[in-house]
Amino acid sequence: MSTDLDRALEVAVSAVRAAAVVCTRVQANLVTAETLEKKDKSPVTVADFASQAVVCRALAAVFPDMPVVGEEDSKDLREAGAESLRSSVASHVRSVVEGEPSEDEVLEWIDRGGWTPDGSSDAYWTLDPIDGTKGFLRGQQYAIALGLIENGRVVAGVLGCPNLPVVDGGSETGVLMTAARGKGAQVLRLTAGEAAQKIHVSDVATTAAARFCESVESAHSDQGASAQIAATLGISGEPYRIDSQCKYAAVARGDASIYLRLPTSAEYREKIWDHAAGMIVVEEAGGEVTDVHGNALDFSRGRTLEGNQGIIATNGRFHDEVVAAVKGALTDL
Ligand code: AMP
Ligand code: MG
């Protein structure tokens, strides 16, 4: 049976909006010189768990039989010594859901996201409750990313980007993007309920005129190789460095025309929750997404993209040219 995608998106949008409220609140309180100085990661941990609980609760209410492949599980939270973290997570969850849930209920919601694809369900969600935790800790970009996979294919996705400007370069922030297979991609304000607008990738026709985006974190993408590839492609502008799946959002609405995620090791495998929502948003906005070899991303292999390496997303105008340039630079993959 295939899922009603309109209904799925409606539920996913409201779940991501509720999670974004928690994440925004935690981030606003965390950005002090002190937490940044100490590299204290506990605030992001609280928001990560609370975000996963809020989203999983909302999905379970409407799709009780559909599992969730989330990044987190409640194991650490259940341990002795985690009492204050647990109580903080629960109180953040209570601030956005009705019914005063107990700590046990919150832990159960988090664990709904602990599923691993095992063939027992053809349809499941995949969730990154806070994608781009490094960006979150720096007070910069992050995303709440929720994708729906059916028979090994991504069929719907929602990206909540609390700090992404509504218009590239503008000061007002908070963007939500949605996509369903065959139905296009849309943008909405993250907080307000105004009508969704269709989005489209850029119509930049040559690589030389393209702006490319990549990770802020050099451990997540080989920035030396991307500089070399940009030179090969005739791109003279600076890379647009932005954390999380906001890179997919940037390509989907035309702020950039290329996203390069170049492996920093031959062993690393991308996680499905880091790409499902972003990929479908770009594809439905008219763009193209493959791995660095030019192969389609294979979401049928479990929690990771086992058969793929890295990511190349473009507006679809010169994808093969970019793949060729990447292959020329990454000869040891
Ligand atoms: P970004 O914000 O695009 O730099 O990506 C953040 C994501 O990078 C996290 O959600 C991690 O799952 C993922 N990640 C962690 N280590 C690596 C790695 N070595 N290569 C690529 N991605 C990674
Ligand atoms: Mg992530």
Side-chain angles (χ1 to χ4, degrees):
M1 196 193 75
S2 63
T3 315
D4 174 346
L5 295 185
D6 291 333
R7 181 75 180 122
L9 274 187
E10 194 185 326
V11 175
V13 163
S14 119
V16 167
R17 279 186 159 142
V21 171
V22 173
C23 296
T24 305
R25 197 175 293 149
V26 174
Q27 197 189 36
N29 290 327
L30 111 95
V31 188
T32 63
E34 199 190 353
T35 45
L36 286 178
E37 186 90 352
K38 282 195 299 191
K39 302 232 181 311
D40 180 0
K41 295 217 171 79
S42 48
V44 73
T45 311
V46 169
D48 245 334
F49 284 126
S51 173
Q52 179 154 321
V54 167
V55 173
C56 288
R57 170 191 173 272
L59 297 177
V62 183
F63 300 102
D65 301 325
M66 212 186 281
V68 184
V69 183
E71 189 171 15
E72 309 297 339
D73 66 54
S74 76
K75 192 171 146 285
D76 292 350
L77 273 186
R78 289 179 190 270
E79 278 176 6
E83 292 79 8
S84 91
L85 180 60
R86 198 156 66 219
S87 124
S88 175
V89 169
S91 75
H92 278 290
V93 172
R94 284 184 202 117
S95 73
V96 291
V97 310
E98 285 172 2
E100 286 291 305
S102 66
E103 283 187 8
D104 279 344
E105 284 175 285
V106 170
L107 294 176
E108 276 168 34
W109 291 332
I110 293 168
D111 282 335
R112 275 195 60 89
W115 193 72
T116 292
D118 58 5
S120 65
S121 179
D122 290 339
Y124 48 90
W125 299 95
T126 185
L127 169 69
D128 196 338
I130 295 188
D131 181 36
T133 50
K134 297 265 171 60
F136 184 91
L137 282 166
R138 277 189 252 101
Q140 297 172 351
Q141 297 297 332
Y142 66 97
I144 299 134
L146 180 58
L148 177 60
I149 295 174
E150 226 171 56
N151 301 313
R153 287 179 74 227
V154 183
V155 292
V158 173
L159 277 184
C161 308
N163 293 339
L164 194 66
V166 172
V167 176
D168 188 24
S171 56
E172 191 193 344
T173 61
V175 171
L176 193 96
M177 285 188 186
T178 72
R181 184 65 65 199
K183 297 183 178 200
Q186 302 185 301
V187 68
L188 300 106
R189 298 281 169 101
L190 184 57
T191 45
E194 110 279 14
Q197 288 172 9
K198 285 258 176 207
I199 44 171
H200 209 271
V201 291
S202 80
D203 55 11
V204 169
T206 63
T207 58
R211 183 183 191 206
F212 84 94
C213 58
E214 65 181 354
S215 285
V216 176
E217 297 294 326
S218 56
H220 297 169
S221 187
D222 185 338
Q223 298 176 344
S226 66
Q228 193 188 326
I229 291 157
T232 307
L233 294 170
I235 300 171
S236 54
E238 287 296 304
Y240 176 27
R241 290 195 177 138
I242 174 170
D243 298 284
S244 80
Q245 284 169 72
C246 287
K247 289 182 277 298
Y248 284 108
V251 172
R253 70 173 185 189
D255 301 350
S257 303
I258 301 173
Y259 162 21
L260 295 177
R261 188 176 194 86
L262 308 176
T264 55
S265 79
E267 291 76 39
Y268 185 79
R269 290 296 174 269
E270 300 289 341
K271 308 292 188 285
I272 59 171
W273 52 82
D274 280 333
H275 301 287
M279 180 193 79
I280 192 167
V281 164
V282 166
E283 289 182 342
E284 287 297 321
E288 203 170 330
V289 182
T290 65
D291 72 0
V292 291
H293 304 286
N295 297 325
L297 303 187
D298 180 0
F299 283 85
S300 72
R301 307 277 297 268
R303 291 170 71 84
T304 64
L305 298 173
E306 196 49 49
N308 298 109
Q309 283 184 293
I311 302 287
I312 298 174
T314 68
N315 66 355
R317 296 290 188 99
F318 34 63
H319 198 86
D320 294 348
E321 200 185 326
V322 177
V323 170
V326 169
K327 279 188 182 168
L330 303 181
T331 47
D332 52 350
L333 279 181

